Amino acid sequence: MDFNKKVVAIFTVAILATSSWSCKKIIDEVPEDKLDITNAYRNVADADAAVIGLYGQFLSLQKTYILQNELRADLVDVTANADPYLKQLANHTTTKDNPYIDPRPYYKVILNCNDILKNFKIMADNFRMSVDDYNKHYADVGALRSWIYLQLGIQYGSIPYITEPIENVDDIKNLSTYPRIPFDQLLTRLIDFTEKLPYKEVYAYPSGNPLVITIDGNNTQKIFICKPFVLGDLYLWNNNYVKAAENYHKIMNVENDNTNINFAYDAYKIGYYLNSAYNDQSVRYGRSQDESTLLYDQGWKTMFSSPNTGNVWNMEFLWGIPYSSSFKPGNPMIEFCSPLYGKYLIKPSNAAIDNWNEQRQYNGIPYDARGRLSYETTTSGPAITKLTDNLIPISNLNKGGKWGIYRAALLHLRMSEAANRDGKGKLGWAFLNIGIANTFYVGTRTAAGAAAPVSFEEINTMASPYSYPFNFDARFNGDYRSAWYRNTGIRNRAGVTALNVSFQTDVIGLEGKLIDEAALELAFEGNRWPDLLRIARRQNNPAFLAERVYQKLLKDGDPNAAAARAKLMNPDNWYLPFEWK
């Protein structure tokens, strides 16, 4: 078997045919004998195989990630089919024996990361891989470990921070006895480690690298974690807004010099629709004011249903991993979300639906169509579709889909949050609402995309007036087009009306609106609990989190609503019990 075929085979088994969900203890899966690294880590092809296998293992965390981050927050609730443990997660009555709070799945991947990092160092020291290969592989695995540790901090608060391999089975059994560090200290350590990674580019492996191939119509480049995004998020959690913005800026501008102008003007820039498959992420209708003509097979929804080689996917997503329709178990969220092909255990909350219904579109339709494109009404009740969308409709034989983790809308909301906190509220408002040019332009035109400006001074106002990392150039004058001239803003892309300009100078008010927008744009994707927790911590305002969870439970008729609110008013109760059984 030649190398390319070997890589395809490994990817197919490790990434597309991941192991099914299990409560099996990690200690049950530890081999009795130590791994002979002389056979497992001989050359860079073996290093590639280790990375691919790691991501296959990582993919098993999606259920834990989605359930913990969405059910604990305000946009997802349980159905009548849910077991008591899911109900506990949703209304904050979680008991220590709840299998959905088990931290071991996270640590299973972390311990594998630690082993791989150690052996990559041995390979480099013994000249079994080049310095360049070592830098890329080591940084990829290291950043993935940092991301997992961030999730552990978000969920559990104080946790064991283990960075060395554990080879003794008894030591693994006793991980519960390891000292734990608080979340703030964890953030400092993660920033220090991740900053020192030897390779921190947007794409883990450049085109042409053997790890960047196409399998079953899926390009593997974006399977691997985007390191500046991890760093940006770590700094944002640590309230270092300039450093967060520097990392987000790097991603937002990574394709500016691409000779393919579609990438240069559209990739990660939230652009307006120009009759091109590269910028077809807008909410669109066949007829402007006819809600029955909402496009499901074009526009915003296709970000979640298109293949990983699709233009829409390439313009929006930075990190995502596909499930194969050809291998078991397939997309695990089908079991939780689908009334027809799953068990229908979770659903959109009434609060989430109300969020969309309270918006108004520019065309006069009195709700946000992103809701219609994220869930559907069935005879069983409202069903989440965003997590199960696929180019080929799901069926008993097709359980495909993808786990989309980082995308442009999330990136823009995070940059907006950092800009707002650094005193650049107008820039944050621009990314949220109508885009750079439309927000900053001062002149005689009715809109930034209309006829050319009449003066040089006017065109220069179509750029943010701030220094790096808050500088974004959206100037456009006839044949002259800067990289950001198509930027249109998240709400504008969704066709919903802009917020009042008074929020440009209201730091706390705009911060709340950014989190409200995340509920509309990013619902069900696994960001909700972290968003609520981050702002509640920063503002020292437990009600920011507690009130939203209370409203979900109240609207869904949960008798524990008031008790949950009272519990969450104490920050000590924001975190799950760390139980190692």
Side-chain angles (χ1 to χ4, degrees):
M1 178 181 292
D2 65 32
F3 177 69
N4 287 336
K5 290 182 179 178
K6 178 182 177 182
V7 170
V8 170
I10 294 172
F11 256 115
T12 301
V13 173
I15 296 293
L16 301 180
T18 60
S19 60
S20 59
W21 173 265
S22 172
C23 292
K24 186 187 296 183
K25 294 181 179 179
I26 184 174
I27 59 173
D28 295 337
E29 301 185 9
V30 177
E32 295 180 0
D33 299 320
K34 291 183 179 180
L35 185 67
D36 183 355
I37 65 169
T38 59
N39 292 325
Y41 292 94
R42 296 165 300 180
N43 51 45
V44 70
D46 290 337
D48 289 344
V51 168
I52 296 164
L54 176 66
Y55 275 91
Q57 183 188 41
F58 168 76
L59 191 54
S60 68
L61 293 181
Q62 186 192 9
K63 280 186 182 179
T64 302
Y65 175 76
I66 295 293
L67 294 176
Q68 289 183 351
N69 284 325
E70 294 296 344
L71 264 182
R72 298 182 69 206
D74 59 332
L75 306 180
V76 175
D77 208 346
V78 294
T79 71
N81 301 332
D83 62 56
Y85 293 121
L86 282 175
K87 294 177 183 178
Q88 289 178 6
L89 207 58
N91 66 13
H92 294 268
T93 58
T94 308
T95 54
K96 292 182 179 180
D97 63 338
N98 191 314
Y100 298 107
I101 69 167
D102 187 355
R104 288 172 302 178
Y106 292 110
Y107 278 96
K108 178 182 176 182
V109 185
I110 285 171
L111 294 179
N112 198 12
C113 289
N114 292 345
D115 183 73
I116 292 171
L117 292 173
K118 172 189 173 181
N119 286 300
F120 282 174
K121 182 67 166 60
I122 293 173
M123 290 180 70
D125 290 345
N126 292 319
F127 306 104
R128 295 178 189 164
M129 63 195 307
S130 70
V131 172
D132 182 66
D133 282 327
Y134 168 78
N135 289 345
K136 290 182 173 64
H137 288 71
Y138 186 94
D140 185 21
V141 174
L144 186 66
R145 188 183 71 182
S146 291
W147 185 91
I148 298 171
Y149 266 125
L150 175 59
Q151 307 314 311
L152 281 164
I154 290 168
Q155 300 301 332
Y156 302 96
S158 297
I159 61 165
Y161 182 57
I162 303 165
T163 59
E164 296 297 326
I166 297 177
E167 300 177 352
N168 187 292
V169 171
D170 290 332
D171 289 340
I172 295 176
K173 292 179 181 178
N174 296 325
L175 278 182
S176 60
T177 65
Y178 275 63
R180 303 178 189 180
I181 61 174
F183 193 14
D184 288 336
Q185 186 177 341
L186 175 68
L187 288 170
T188 300
R189 292 200 188 183
L190 292 176
I191 289 170
D192 180 68
F193 171 79
T194 312
E195 275 288 14
K196 291 177 180 177
L197 291 174
Y199 187 81
K200 293 181 290 187
E201 297 308 309
V202 173
Y203 303 123
Y205 305 96
S207 298
N209 187 286
L211 284 171
V212 181
I213 56 178
T214 298
I215 306 171
D216 286 356
N218 295 292
N219 188 292
T220 61
Q221 186 178 63
K222 295 184 181 183
I223 282 175
F224 309 106
I225 194 167
C226 177
K227 290 177 285 297
F229 216 134
V230 180
L231 262 176
D233 284 355
L234 289 171
Y235 280 120
L236 192 66
W237 276 94
N238 211 36
N239 299 332
N240 188 332
Y241 308 114
V242 172
K243 292 296 293 183
E246 287 176 0
N247 283 280
Y248 298 143
H249 186 280
K250 183 176 183 178
I251 305 167
M252 296 166 89
N253 293 282
V254 68
E255 296 288 355
N256 285 10
D257 296 325
N258 197 313
T259 55
N260 182 334
I261 62 171
N262 295 296
F263 277 80
Y265 297 143
D266 292 319
Y268 321 132
K269 291 185 169 65
I270 310 292
Y272 51 79
Y273 178 59
L274 277 173
N275 195 33
S276 166
Y278 287 93
N279 49 54
D280 193 10
Q281 295 97 34
S282 299
V283 171
R284 298 201 290 117
Y285 291 83
R287 292 184 296 275
S288 176
Q289 293 179 299
D290 185 348
E291 58 185 294
S292 69
T293 65
L294 178 65
L295 299 180
Y296 287 81
D297 57 350
Q298 300 175 56
W300 192 84
K301 187 179 177 72
T302 62
M303 291 187 290
F304 310 100
S305 60
S306 64
N308 285 21
T309 51
N311 294 328
V312 170
W313 170 270
N314 285 329
M315 298 302 101
E316 180 75 12
F317 277 87
L318 288 140
W319 186 24
I321 308 177
Y323 291 97
S324 175
S325 60
S326 304
F327 295 92
K328 294 182 179 180
N331 182 354
M333 299 316 298
I334 293 172
E335 174 189 3
F336 284 84
C337 300
S338 175
L340 187 58
Y341 302 107
K343 297 179 180 178
Y344 186 50
L345 304 174
I346 62 175
K347 64 180 180 180
S349 67
N350 286 322
I353 293 171
D354 287 348
N355 289 339
W356 282 307
N357 288 340
E358 289 166 3
Q359 307 303 308
R360 188 172 186 84
Q361 298 178 53
Y362 285 114
N363 60 12
I365 295 175
Y367 56 79
D368 187 335
R370 286 175 292 183
R372 305 295 195 273
L373 302 174
S374 298
Y375 78 95
E376 64 182 359
T377 301
T378 74
T379 55
S380 300
I384 296 168
T385 57
K386 182 190 278 188
L387 300 177
T388 60
D389 280 331
N390 197 35
L391 189 64
I392 304 171
I394 62 171
S395 68
N396 286 325
L397 298 177
N398 172 34
K399 297 290 180 73
K402 61 175 72 72
W403 179 14
I405 308 171
Y406 284 157
R407 65 183 181 96
L410 175 66
L411 175 64
H412 282 231
L413 286 168
R414 297 277 166 85
M415 172 60 98
S416 297
E417 188 179 321
N420 177 51
R421 276 288 175 171
D422 195 60
K424 315 295 190 304
K426 189 171 184 178
L427 178 62
W429 188 95
F431 283 132
L432 173 61
N433 288 284
I434 59 175
I436 301 298
N438 284 327
T439 298
F440 289 97
Y441 173 68
V442 177
T444 58
R445 301 190 318 174
T446 58
V454 296
S455 70
F456 179 78
E457 289 76 14
E458 283 190 18
I459 189 176
N460 282 342
T461 67
M462 297 166 65
S464 61
Y466 312 119
S467 59
Y468 172 83
F470 301 108
N471 56 317
F472 292 88
D473 185 355
R475 292 176 296 171
F476 171 62
N477 186 12
D479 292 333
Y480 176 78
R481 295 170 172 82
S482 58
W484 282 85
Y485 90 95
R486 292 180 184 174
N487 172 244
T488 195
I490 293 172
R491 290 179 68 81
N492 214 25
R493 184 175 76 169
V496 292
T497 56
L499 302 176
N500 194 285
V501 295
S502 63
F503 286 105
Q504 294 177 5
T505 55
D506 180 356
V507 174
I508 300 300
L510 181 57
E511 190 162 75
K513 289 299 182 183
L514 289 168
I515 301 305
D516 290 345
E517 189 65 27
L520 305 169
E521 174 72 26
L522 306 172
F524 319 139
E525 295 177 44
N527 299 291
R528 191 57 177 172
W529 182 260
D531 279 351
L532 298 182
L533 180 67
R534 188 175 60 257
I535 305 305
R537 282 169 51 93
R538 181 184 300 151
Q539 295 183 4
N540 191 24
N541 179 15
F544 188 92
L545 183 155
E547 184 63 27
R548 285 167 169 80
V549 173
Y550 168 71
Q551 289 297 326
K552 173 189 85 169
L553 298 175
L554 183 68
K555 291 179 178 182
D556 288 351
D558 192 309
N560 198 61
R565 187 188 191 282
K567 182 177 182 179
L568 293 171
M569 287 300 292
N570 181 352
D572 291 340
N573 295 325
W574 292 346
Y575 303 101
L576 296 170
F578 187 95
E579 292 295 318
W580 191 277
K581 304 179 185 68

